[in-house]
Amino acid sequence: MSNLWSKCVIKFFKYAPSYVVCLCFLPAGFIFGYTICAFIAERKHDGNLIDYGPLILGACLAFVSALCFFLIKYLKKCIIYWQPLLLIATGVFNLIASCFYFADGFDHVGAYMSYVAHSLTFVAGYGFLHTISSKVSRSLMISGCCSCYLGGISSAVSLIGASYVKNLNEYAGQAATTEQLIDGIYVNFAATYLSISAVMLAVLIGLKVLHVLGTVDMTNSLDNDLRIANANGSIFEPRAEVIKKLQFFYVTKNQQWHVTLLLLFTEAVQYALFIYLVFWFALNDAMRLHDLAHIDAMFWVIFAGSVLAIICLCFYSAKVQFVSTQLLLLLITVLGMIIYGTTGSKVTFWFLLLLFGMSYSSQQIVLLEVTHLRFTECIIFASYTMKLISVSVVYYYFVANVENSYFYSVDENTLMAQGFVFMIITALVALVVGMKVPRTHRTKLQDIQCEVYGIIFMKHQIEQLNVRWLNDGTIPTISQ
């Protein structure tokens, strides 16, 4: 029994840095939940709360941090794990920012500071987990980050939404001003945000202390091949140098940047669909899934889908999970349109949110896995920025204008047309990802790099080939 306990303790401390980094996305989700609520609360008012300043600042900070990581990799020719220090800095920013939400009129100051922490969490968190994790835990940890993020969003929407609805009921039938409607709605949010930020900062500092004491290791990857390559300086070798080192191989066209850019585009499209549906199901009178007082139920369903995704990733790849959920989205959309058109029931659309939660992390996982190791943080910045752009575009062109005849339409023909557009986009995204993304399930990052490089048969796979085919030219090889 004591032997089993010691193994469990060793296992816990082995993965402790990854668990803590996953939890860092909880306050980041809190911040975005505040943004969603602010968009909904302010869409009918000419207030100063809703502007794009915090989002722009977050994108700029993400660019600066990504550029710094790229320069460090370029100069040092290896990965240096400074992300935990950056996450401690985000903890400080979160702690200070949470204090501004207590005072009415100063929440926008907190928003700017919060988005500094938000952007740095994305760049440092994903960048750390991408290379520190083993081939078995990599997809699970990244998916865990997404679940914590969605959990933070759901919690923030629950807290802010309840306070906002309370104010709406209090001023029902009166010509309430913007200040009256948003008075005190962020107090409960601020208290929870402050508590979470303080706990996370303490945990991050404690983790750093344990690293100094040698109890946990935050500077060596659990992927053995990657750790060795990082130690001997060969981790960023160009494709031509990798090919020279292989004795038997079959080389095709380099697909890495092609696949990476395609995934960036499809991820932005998929995220825009996600944001559009969240606002649509919350604000359109015809499609509203629940009353405004219980709008948080939608986000908790999405969060449940993300938790279910972690379980599914134990058995099959993120690529398979994404394509299968997109196909189910098509099926549920068809059923939902038929059922809604005949009975007026919107129960089926709850399954759409569950499936969105399941597919939320899939593209993030495969995008990180296929990207060039030297440009990981740069790709994370691009992904992060495109998500913010998606949110801004959807809000500006659809949500903000309460007279929008397309987004707020209650006409059945318009609603059906939106359903068909959603189906077409979903089908195209599923087709592109299914055809272009390679197999990455429980595969070492070095092997994934070779696959997207177009190196099909590597030295350690020679036992699987008929050597006679190599000798007589049946399988072409390239010698350099």
Side-chain angles (χ1 to χ4, degrees), residues 25 28 31-32 54-63 114-123 126 149 264 267 271 364 367 377-391:
F25 281 77
I31 298 161
F32 190 72
L55 278 68
I56 295 171
L57 178 63
C60 293
L61 262 294
F63 171 74
S114 292
Y115 266 91
V116 172
H118 187 267
S119 61
L120 295 180
T121 299
F122 266 73
V123 175
Y126 280 139
Y149 188 71
L264 276 174
E267 185 189 31
Y271 193 77
Q364 188 71 64
L367 176 62
E377 285 77 16
C378 296
I379 297 300
I380 295 171
F381 152 72
S383 171
Y384 175 79
T385 303
M386 293 184 78
K387 287 178 179 177
L388 295 185
I389 292 173
S390 296
V391 174

Side-chain angles (χ1 to χ4, degrees), residues 214-244:
T215 307
V216 298
D217 188 358
M218 296 191 294
T219 57
N220 287 298
S221 175
L222 297 176
D223 186 330
N224 292 329
D225 289 353
L226 190 74
R227 184 175 67 251
I228 293 170
N230 194 44
N232 61 28
S234 63
I235 190 169
F236 302 133
E237 281 185 334
R239 179 175 181 262
E241 294 298 321
V242 175
I243 291 175
K244 288 179 182 179

Side-chain angles (χ1 to χ4, degrees), residues 418-444:
Q418 295 196 52
F420 280 115
V421 171
F422 171 75
M423 289 170 58
I424 293 170
I425 296 175
T426 300
L428 291 175
V429 170
L431 183 64
V432 170
V433 173
M435 291 179 61
K436 292 298 183 179
V437 175
R439 179 188 176 277
T440 61
H441 185 52
R442 296 191 175 184
T443 305
K444 296 178 180 179

